[in-house]
Amino acid sequence: DIQMTQSSSSFSVSLGDRVTITCKASEDIYNRLAWYQQKPGNAPRLLISGATSLETGVPSRFSGSGSGKDYTLSITSLQTEDVATYYCQQYWSTWTFGGGTKLEIK
Amino acid sequence: EVQLQQSGPELVKPGASVKISCKTSGYTFTEYTMHWVKQSHGKSLEWIGGINPNNGGTSYNQKFKGKATLTVDKSSSTAYMELRSLTSEDSAVYYCARTGTGAWFAYWGQGTLVTVSA
């Protein structure tokens, strides 16, 4: 099975900061990578598929990059509504999620 | 508008079974695979399995084989997941999630809380 590792389980950020969340697969997943945002009490929300494709309605301050095993979700100018937990997911071979990265305000 | 409406919270006794439903609307039910995901309190997401509503074909995470059974009712556009031999480890929120044009999970139900307690 493919393992997905998000190196930071949480970190504190300031409003307006640029945030980078990383995700590493245990093997090449050929850009079959999605990012989800989850707020407390809510279901996850798809932000990005195919490593870089922004879903309709997702603000353009979100972007995805990466290839091979290593992928990144970036948020430029963090807003209050971006405080949430973010999960990566590979769908190259069955489906596996990362452990999540929780953003908190300093 | 695509909607996935899950059944309400369940309180079940250890050793019992529970069946959760996910009623869909806003799209052709048989055209997209439906998946189920477990989220234990404060934890990450685990893929349980998926079902092709067109032919009933299923794929399971090895960890959940024997624990979860996925079915569909095409007449009502509803997907089901039955969990059996429940223990406290099965207490969690369970989500149904529909694929998009690719294999990612584009739409999610609101989640069903299952609590296993005597």
Side-chain angles (χ1 to χ4, degrees):
Chain A
D1 291 1
I2 297 176
Q3 307 303 314
M4 304 299 291
T5 301
Q6 293 180 238
S7 55
S8 298
S9 59
S10 67
F11 54 87
S12 295
V13 296
S14 299
L15 296 178
D17 279 355
R18 178 183 177 90
V19 176
T20 300
I21 298 170
T22 60
C23 177
K24 187 176 185 71
S26 58
E27 60 184 84
D28 195 327
I29 56 171
Y30 303 96
N31 289 1
R32 298 328 196 259
L33 191 284
W35 288 98
Y36 299 87
Q37 176 193 66
Q38 187 179 35
K39 297 181 180 180
N42 288 351
R45 171 197 180 194
L46 176 67
L47 299 177
I48 288 171
S49 60
T52 61
S53 297
L54 201 66
E55 289 301 296
T56 302
V58 176
S60 59
R61 62 181 178 272
F62 289 89
S63 65
S65 64
S67 62
K69 298 180 185 180
D70 296 299
Y71 298 88
T72 298
L73 173 69
S74 297
I75 312 171
T76 58
S77 190
L78 188 85
Q79 305 298 302
T80 305
E81 60 266 31
D82 302 334
V83 173
T85 300
Y86 294 85
Y87 295 95
C88 60
Q89 177 207 40
Q90 69 81 20
Y91 49 93
W92 170 246
S93 175
T94 66
W95 292 264
T96 318
F97 293 90
T101 299
K102 183 177 182 180
L103 298 186
E104 298 169 317
I105 298 296
K106 284 181 184 173
Chain B
E1 179 191 5
V2 173
Q3 293 191 344
L4 280 62
Q5 182 66 40
Q6 295 185 228
S7 49
E10 301 273 3
L11 174 60
V12 294
K13 295 187 184 308
S17 298
V18 68
K19 194 170 187 178
I20 303 168
S21 66
C22 173
K23 184 169 178 57
T24 72
S25 60
Y27 72 99
T28 302
F29 181 63
T30 54
E31 290 186 354
Y32 296 90
T33 301
M34 187 68 76
H35 294 268
W36 292 85
V37 175
K38 177 183 180 182
Q39 187 169 39
S40 301
H41 183 66
K43 300 290 182 59
S44 183
L45 303 159
E46 282 186 284
W47 174 71
I48 296 171
I51 183 166
N52 180 335
N54 189 45
N55 59 20
T58 53
S59 174
Y60 291 95
N61 182 336
Q62 185 68 31
K63 177 179 177 180
F64 292 95
K65 284 186 177 178
K67 171 64 67 178
T69 301
L70 306 184
T71 56
V72 296
D73 177 359
K74 288 193 281 189
S75 68
S76 64
S77 299
T78 302
Y80 297 92
M81 178 176 68
E82 183 171 20
L83 300 169
R84 64 182 190 189
S85 303
L86 292 166
T87 73
S88 59
E89 296 297 306
D90 299 313
S91 293
V93 175
Y94 293 88
Y95 294 100
C96 59
R98 199 211 83 176
T99 53
T101 54
W104 54 87
F105 297 174
Y107 299 94
W108 294 68
Q110 82 276 20
T112 296
L113 175 63
V114 174
T115 304
V116 183
S117 174

